[in-house]
Amino acid sequence: MTVRLRKVLQYLVPAVIALFLGQALYNSWEEVRTYRWSCDYSLLALSLGIMLASLCLYAWQWRFSLQRLGAAISFIKALRIYFIGNLARYIPGTVWQFMGWFYLLEQEGVSPVQTLTSIAVNQVIQNMAGLTLAFVVLGQRLGKIASYPTLIVIPLGLAIIQPSVLERLLNWGLRLFRRGPVAIELTAWDLARFTAIHLSIWLGYGLAFYLFTRALYPMPLKWLPAWTGIFAGAWVIGFLSFLAPGGLGVREGILLYLLGLYLPSPVAIVVTLLSRLWVTAAELMGTALALGFDGWKEVLFERRSPGQGERAR
C-alpha cells in the first residue's frame, strides 16, 4: 500500500462509516425524535467512574510490565504519560500515540527498547484477550459467525503468552518496519499475569458500558456479558483497522451492528453515537486527574510541612 493511498484511506474509511451512521440516523430520525428518552444520571456518573478506574488499571498494568522489564517509574508518572500520550491517538496516522509515549518515557529515563517491548506486549495481549472475550460471550448470539473464530483465537491466545512465541512474533513485526529485534525477558508467569489483568480491564470496560447504556434504556442484567463482548469486539476491531484515528467510525459501525441485535434501532443509534463522547469524557477526566496529582501533592504535603516544622521546634 502506497503512502498516498494509505493517507486517502485514513480519511475515506471513517467518512464512509460516518455516512453510513448518518444515513441510519436519518432513516430512524422520526423514531429517535418521538422515543421517550430518559437518563439516570447516577448510573451515568457511576459508569464514568468505573470506566476511569479501568483506564487507570491499564496504566497500572503498563507500569507493572515496565517494572518487570527493569524500568523504574512511579505509578503517578506512568499514569500521566499514559493519559497524555493517549490523547494523540485521535490524530490520523495511528503512530502519534506511541511516539508520545516513547518521548515522555525517555524523559523519565526509560530506554526505547523497554518502552517498545512493554507497548508491544501489552497491545498484543490486550487485543487477543479482547477478541477472545468477544467471541466467547457473543458466540451463542452470532452463531457460526463467532464459533469458528473462537476455535482459532483461544488456542492462538494461549500460544502467544509463551515468551518464545511472543518474542518471535514481535520481532517478525519489527522487521516489517525495519526495526531491530528485541529480547523479551519475561516469564510465562509474567505474561499469564498480564493476561489476567487485561481480562479484568475488559470486564471493567464492559460493566461501565452496560451501566452507560442502562442509564439511557432499561435492560436486564443478563445482558451484561454480551455488553462486555460487544464493547471489547468493537474496540479491538476499531484499533486493528489502523486506518481510522482512534478507531473513529469503525468502532461505531461495529457497535451499531452488534447493539442492533439487542436494542431497538433508535436506542442502538443513540447509544452508539454517544458512546464516543462518553469514552472521551472518561479519558479527559483521567488526563485531568493525572495532571492534577502535583497540585494535590503540594496541598496535602508541602503546605503541611511548615506546621510540622513549627511543632518540631
Side-chain angles (χ1 to χ4, degrees):
M1 183 183 296
T2 65
V3 175
R4 179 174 295 180
L5 177 59
R6 182 179 178 84
K7 287 184 177 180
V8 170
L9 290 176
Q10 284 176 348
Y11 292 97
L12 182 61
V13 170
V16 170
I17 297 176
L19 182 63
F20 164 72
L21 291 171
Q23 183 67 30
L25 180 62
Y26 177 79
N27 292 337
S28 304
W29 177 248
E30 191 60 28
E31 294 178 79
V32 172
R33 188 180 66 82
T34 58
Y35 189 83
R36 296 176 118 186
W37 295 103
S38 63
C39 181
D40 188 326
Y41 293 101
S42 60
L43 284 180
L44 181 60
L46 181 60
S47 71
L48 280 170
I50 294 176
M51 188 65 186
L52 175 58
S54 301
L55 291 170
C56 291
L57 180 58
Y58 186 96
W60 181 88
Q61 152 59 24
W62 187 30
R63 182 245 185 174
F64 176 51
S65 63
L66 282 167
Q67 284 185 317
R68 297 299 300 162
L69 290 166
I73 184 170
S74 69
F75 171 61
I76 301 304
K77 289 181 178 179
L79 191 71
R80 185 179 297 116
I81 290 170
Y82 169 74
F83 279 111
I84 293 175
N86 194 51
L87 293 177
R89 68 193 177 92
Y90 291 105
I91 302 174
T94 69
V95 300
W96 301 111
Q97 174 188 24
F98 304 112
M99 293 297 292
W101 285 341
F102 267 93
Y103 173 77
L104 293 171
L105 282 172
E106 190 173 17
Q107 302 305 303
E108 299 297 332
V110 179
S111 74
V113 172
Q114 291 170 326
T115 301
L116 174 62
T117 305
S118 68
I119 291 175
V121 167
N122 279 290
Q123 290 297 327
V124 169
I125 293 178
Q126 178 195 32
N127 289 305
M128 288 301 301
L131 277 181
T132 302
L133 190 61
F135 285 129
V136 168
V137 301
L138 294 175
Q140 185 176 3
R141 189 77 180 192
L142 296 177
K144 291 183 179 180
I145 298 177
S147 61
Y148 295 132
T150 302
L151 297 176
I152 299 173
V153 170
I154 293 178
L156 183 61
L158 293 174
I160 283 178
I161 62 172
Q162 302 303 314
S164 59
V165 176
L166 184 57
E167 183 175 302
R168 291 174 186 171
L169 177 64
L170 293 180
N171 286 328
W172 171 79
L174 289 172
R175 283 196 297 271
L176 295 179
F177 292 95
R178 299 179 181 178
R179 295 291 185 270
V182 296
I184 298 182
E185 298 178 358
L186 297 169
T187 66
W189 173 236
D190 287 328
L191 298 180
R193 284 189 291 178
F194 295 169
T195 302
I197 296 171
H198 277 295
L199 283 172
S200 299
I201 294 169
W202 282 121
L203 293 176
Y205 290 160
L207 176 59
F209 185 53
Y210 170 84
L211 293 173
F212 165 70
T213 310
R214 181 68 180 78
L216 301 173
Y217 178 78
M219 48 190 285
L221 183 60
K222 66 180 181 180
W223 286 3
L224 174 57
W227 250 241
T228 303
I230 288 172
F231 190 82
W235 184 296
V236 173
I237 294 173
F239 173 80
L240 295 179
S241 66
F242 292 111
L243 296 173
L248 189 62
V250 177
R251 186 199 303 174
E252 284 75 16
I254 300 297
L255 273 180
L256 182 59
Y257 170 74
L258 294 175
L259 290 176
L261 300 175
Y262 295 86
L263 300 175
S265 178
V267 178
I269 292 172
V270 170
V271 169
T272 296
L273 294 177
L274 292 181
S275 65
R276 173 69 65 169
L277 297 177
W278 171 72
V279 171
T280 303
E283 291 173 340
L284 291 175
M285 289 168 59
T287 305
L289 178 67
L291 291 175
F293 269 116
D294 284 339
W296 283 112
K297 183 179 179 181
E298 180 182 353
V299 170
L300 295 176
F301 296 101
E302 293 182 11
R303 291 185 181 179
R304 188 182 302 173
S305 297
Q308 292 175 340
E310 290 173 5
R311 285 194 298 271
R313 289 193 299 268

